[in-house]
């Protein structure tokens, strides 16, 4: 869905993809983009420090922008028309990313595109429901740290987070 969104209006000449080391090393985005349009240039960059920035709540500011500039310098030199955010943490940096890259680069939130595609599929199959389910959250580490980070990602109140021990 993120790739489809990148091609939504027209075939871009260049697309940047940022993600974790594993995502970038897999070349999954590059391969699918090149299959969709072999003439589109793809620049992939692993941005592993983005995750701790988000988890520490450093979503903007001088340090965050300096890290973004350092990682994305090749995309600015290229330049790219679209940037696919290939990690669930990266959309929280949209403001800082847009500030560094400028308004001419369209940011594509892969997670948002997947959610919208799923909503459309469920609607087509008449499987959407207004019923509210129950959410329970279990962690094997620090519940307070999870709650702090989860509030950055999720709107509204979280249910209680329970610490559990896994046994083998």
């Amino acid at each position: 869905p993120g790739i489809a969104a990148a091609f939504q209006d027209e075939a871009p000449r260049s697309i940047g993809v940022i993600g974790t080391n594993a995502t970038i090393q897999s070349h999954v985005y590059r391969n699918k983009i090149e299959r969709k349009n072999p003439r589109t240039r793809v620049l992939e960059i692993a941005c592993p420090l983005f995750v701790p920035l988000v988890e520490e709540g450093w979503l903007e500011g001088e340090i965050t922008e300096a890290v973004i500039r350092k990682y994305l310098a090749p995309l600015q030199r290229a330049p790219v028309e679209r940037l696919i955010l290939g990690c669930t943490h990266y959309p929280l940096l949209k403001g800082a990313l847009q500030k560094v890259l400028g308004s001419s680069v369209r940011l594509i939130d892969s997670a948002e595109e997947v959610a919208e595609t799923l909503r459309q599929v469920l609607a087509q199959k008449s499987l959407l429901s207004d019923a509210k389910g129950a959410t329970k959250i279990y962690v094997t580490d620090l519940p307070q740290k999870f709650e702090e980070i989860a509030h950055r990602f999720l709107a509204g109140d979280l249910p209680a987070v329970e610490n559990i021990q896994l046994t083998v």
Side-chain angles (χ1 to χ4, degrees), residues 32-151:
K32 290 183 183 287
I33 290 168
E34 288 177 347
R35 267 187 257 135
K36 188 162 185 71
N37 186 339
R39 293 182 304 280
T40 299
R41 187 180 69 226
V42 182
L43 289 95
E44 302 171 292
I45 299 179
C47 303
L49 288 179
F50 286 6
V51 170
L53 285 173
V54 168
E55 290 185 353
E56 287 300 319
W58 295 12
L59 307 181
E60 55 188 38
E62 185 179 321
I63 292 171
T64 300
E65 290 172 19
V67 172
I68 290 171
R69 276 192 299 278
K70 178 75 172 169
Y71 277 132
L72 303 190
L75 299 181
Q76 290 181 298
R77 286 191 301 269
V80 296
E81 298 167 61
R82 314 275 199 286
L83 179 63
I84 295 175
L85 311 181
C87 173
T88 55
H89 285 64
Y90 295 3
L92 277 77
L93 296 171
K94 277 183 189 175
L97 288 164
Q98 200 75 73
K99 182 176 180 182
V100 169
L101 293 172
S103 60
S104 64
V105 178
R106 189 167 130 218
L107 303 180
I108 309 292
D109 181 341
S110 292
E112 193 174 273
E113 297 301 329
V114 167
E116 176 56 26
T117 299
L118 177 59
R119 188 198 64 72
Q120 290 172 7
V121 168
L122 292 173
Q124 288 168 357
K125 296 180 181 283
S126 299
L127 295 173
L128 282 180
S129 172
D130 291 331
K132 299 289 181 191
T135 302
K136 294 185 179 189
I137 300 174
Y138 300 97
V139 297
T140 58
D141 202 358
L142 305 170
Q144 296 82 8
K145 185 66 176 173
F146 175 86
E147 288 173 348
E148 178 185 321
I149 294 168
H151 279 291

